[in-house]
Amino acid sequence: ILSKNYNFRLLALITTGAAALAIAIGIGRFSYTPILPYMLEELNLTKTEAGLIASWNFFGYLFGSLVSILPIFKNRVKFFFLSAIIVSLLTTFLMAFNNDIIIFILIRFLAGVASAFALILGTALILPSIQAFGKKSLSTSHFMGVGFGIVFSSILISILGSLGFIWNELWIGVSILSLILAIPIFIYTPNEIILSTPNKISKSTSTFGFSLITVSYGLYGFGYVILGTFISAMARETTGLETTEFYVWFLVGLTGIPMVIFWPWFGKKIGNDLALFLACLIMGIGIFMPVIYENNFGIILASILLGSTFIPITALAFLEGQSRYSGSIRVSTAILTSSFSIGQMIGPYSGGVMIDLFKSYSIALSVSSIALFIAALLMINPSRYSHFNFKKFP
């Protein structure tokens, strides 16, 4: 009975964290991607305007990341986490009742603030609770929720879209989905556990190492988000790719789910920083694929490589950041998320401008790839180089 109860409590924790990230990020942030082609067509938005709306979501994410460090949230983590889930539900629903770009920007900004709170405060609640069960290998498993949110919402949007529902009805559809997913959150969210930081972590902390991963994580935010915002629109508008629109975003979410477990496991084997290096490299190659192969193969491979790396990189970066930072995980997560947000803010708007300017996605995707290759190099912990030097030259 104790064993069953133990397993149930662990599963309830993972489900709660996963549902929160599905609502706030998988749906709250990323259902914009598969709904965007309908909005571009039915509301006559330009790519620049679409990118601007997306960028304001990421500006909200940045604002939320910075604000979440304030002392006011320290002792009321659970209350503000649940509040963030409610705001996420409301902002997704409100997208359906407006067609003014300024209101869109305001709603997406608030959704971004809520998603940062849900991610940072949710991770601060869930990750230590899972680690307290002695299951460190599962401590980032709640990040699977992002993939599940993308998968469920993209299936729903594809079905509703094929039945002739218009853009605002698609937002109502994903809002109902979010509401169903919210049920376990309000039942099983745990109270905060403060984990004492073991000495072995503080020995490996380094301000320079943490600064490098912070910069790298920002470049990664810029690198993934252009394809992450425009992939469905690119599929709809590129001759020969139209049939892929209904499943490219679904593929991104689907491949992300198992990889959230694989990459942290792989990181334990070879080192989180080397796993991050490889993941960024693979993503950079994936994003460049539609530039080389302007056919179904190129965009499908891009979807699979983007999905299998973009959620795990977040999970790995939080673990690696935690090990390089001597303070609390809430602060290290917030600093990394702030850098990531700056990259994400610049990405969609500059991407939209490049796509409108060159009437092609190739330049924007090439710039993304370069950013990811640089990010990959910066992910490597600089302490590796000092070990190398000391061993070579005693």
Side-chain angles (χ1 to χ4, degrees), residues 1-197:
I1 293 169
L2 278 174
S3 163
K4 271 188 176 174
N5 188 33
Y6 170 90
N7 289 334
F8 176 77
R9 282 165 58 211
L10 185 62
L11 185 65
L13 274 175
I14 295 169
T15 305
T16 300
L21 294 187
I23 290 165
I25 297 178
I27 299 170
R29 181 196 300 171
F30 286 124
S31 58
Y32 182 70
T33 299
I35 296 175
L36 184 58
Y38 298 89
M39 293 174 71
L40 288 168
E41 210 167 86
E42 293 162 23
L43 298 174
N44 290 322
L45 294 175
T46 64
K47 303 295 183 308
T48 305
E49 287 168 337
L52 185 66
I53 294 166
S55 289
W56 272 85
N57 181 248
F58 300 127
F59 179 48
Y61 192 65
L62 169 64
F63 182 79
S65 309
L66 295 171
V67 169
S68 70
I69 313 177
L70 295 175
I72 184 176
F73 303 111
K74 193 173 182 182
N75 299 319
R76 303 190 69 193
V77 174
K78 186 174 175 178
F79 169 78
F80 285 107
F81 166 68
L82 294 174
S83 302
I85 297 299
I86 293 166
V87 174
S88 281
L89 294 168
L90 284 172
T91 49
T92 303
F93 187 62
L94 288 172
M95 282 296 285
F97 299 98
N98 154 70
N99 57 11
D100 181 82
I101 191 165
I102 303 297
I103 308 293
F104 278 143
I105 282 170
L106 184 63
I107 294 169
R108 297 305 287 159
F109 172 78
L110 291 172
V113 176
S115 67
F117 271 76
L119 177 74
I120 293 165
L121 302 182
T123 299
L125 286 169
I126 303 292
L127 192 143
S129 296
I130 295 173
Q131 287 180 0
F133 273 87
K135 296 283 185 184
K136 194 158 188 183
S137 59
L138 291 175
S139 60
T140 55
S141 54
H142 64 292
F143 282 93
M144 286 192 290
V146 179
F148 278 116
I150 290 171
V151 165
F152 295 153
S153 59
S154 64
I155 292 170
L156 182 63
I157 290 160
S158 293
I159 293 168
L160 295 178
S162 66
L163 292 172
F165 285 87
I166 59 168
W167 70 273
N168 59 341
E169 292 165 337
L170 302 179
W171 281 109
I172 293 169
V174 294
S175 300
I176 294 165
L177 174 62
S178 293
L179 205 55
I180 296 163
L181 290 172
I183 295 164
I185 299 171
F186 290 96
I187 301 171
Y188 297 117
T189 296
N191 294 316
E192 191 178 12
I193 294 175
I194 308 296
L195 285 185
S196 58
T197 311

Side-chain angles (χ1 to χ4, degrees), residues 123 127 140 143 209-210 212-214 216-218 220-221 263-264 272-273 275-277 279-280 309-325 329 332-337 340 379:
T123 299
L127 192 143
T140 55
F143 282 93
F210 186 70
L212 276 188
I213 195 172
T214 303
S216 175
Y217 198 47
Y220 152 68
W263 279 105
N272 279 339
D273 60 327
L276 282 162
F277 164 75
C280 284
T309 49
F310 101 91
I311 309 165
I313 287 172
T314 296
L316 278 172
F318 287 166
L319 287 175
E320 182 64 13
Q322 185 187 11
S323 74
R324 294 191 204 180
Y325 190 77
I329 186 169
S332 67
T333 303
I335 294 168
L336 286 170
T337 305
F340 178 63
M379 284 291 185

Side-chain angles (χ1 to χ4, degrees), residues 268-323:
K268 277 182 83 173
K269 301 283 178 196
I270 67 165
N272 279 339
D273 60 327
L274 292 183
L276 282 162
F277 164 75
L278 287 171
C280 284
L281 200 63
I282 289 166
M283 185 191 285
I285 293 165
I287 285 175
F288 198 60
M289 285 296 111
V291 179
I292 307 171
Y293 302 103
E294 292 183 13
N295 54 22
N296 287 10
F297 173 75
I299 197 166
I300 288 168
L301 195 57
S303 301
I304 291 167
L305 295 181
L306 176 68
S308 60
T309 49
F310 101 91
I311 309 165
I313 287 172
T314 296
L316 278 172
F318 287 166
L319 287 175
E320 182 64 13
Q322 185 187 11
S323 74

